[in-house]
Amino acid sequence: MLQAFILNLFLYFPEDKTEYIPAAFWMILFGAAAVLTFRWFIKISKKEEEKTKRAEEEARKAAEEDRRS
């Protein structure tokens, strides 16, 4: 009984459906921001991966030259 009462405190379905418009606007805005942030992280990650690959290649070449000497 108490659990049902507590859950009903958080449920709100307005009669005037225009109250959904601001919520939808903010949901779309934050969803778009989340997608853009995710894509930005992927872009940065790829750049870091390229830097790491270059550093590994340079280290391999230096180690290979040391072995030849």
Side-chain angles (χ1 to χ4, degrees):
M1 178 77 175
L2 183 62
Q3 185 180 10
F5 174 73
I6 292 173
L7 288 176
N8 284 335
L9 290 175
F10 299 108
L11 291 175
Y12 172 66
F13 299 104
E15 293 294 323
D16 182 17
K17 300 303 180 193
T18 60
E19 291 183 31
Y20 288 126
I21 294 171
F25 170 76
W26 286 109
M27 181 121 174
I28 290 169
L29 183 72
F30 280 104
V35 168
L36 291 174
T37 303
F38 187 70
R39 291 183 61 132
W40 181 57
F41 284 159
I42 290 172
K43 185 177 177 180
I44 291 173
S45 176
K46 285 182 181 179
K47 286 181 182 179
E48 289 293 322
E49 182 182 9
E50 288 174 13
K51 286 181 186 177
T52 304
K53 283 183 180 178
R54 276 190 248 122
E56 286 177 358
E57 244 179 72
E58 290 175 10
R60 270 195 207 121
K61 286 179 183 177
E64 192 175 302
E65 288 175 7
D66 287 342
R67 287 182 194 156
R68 290 181 184 172
S69 312

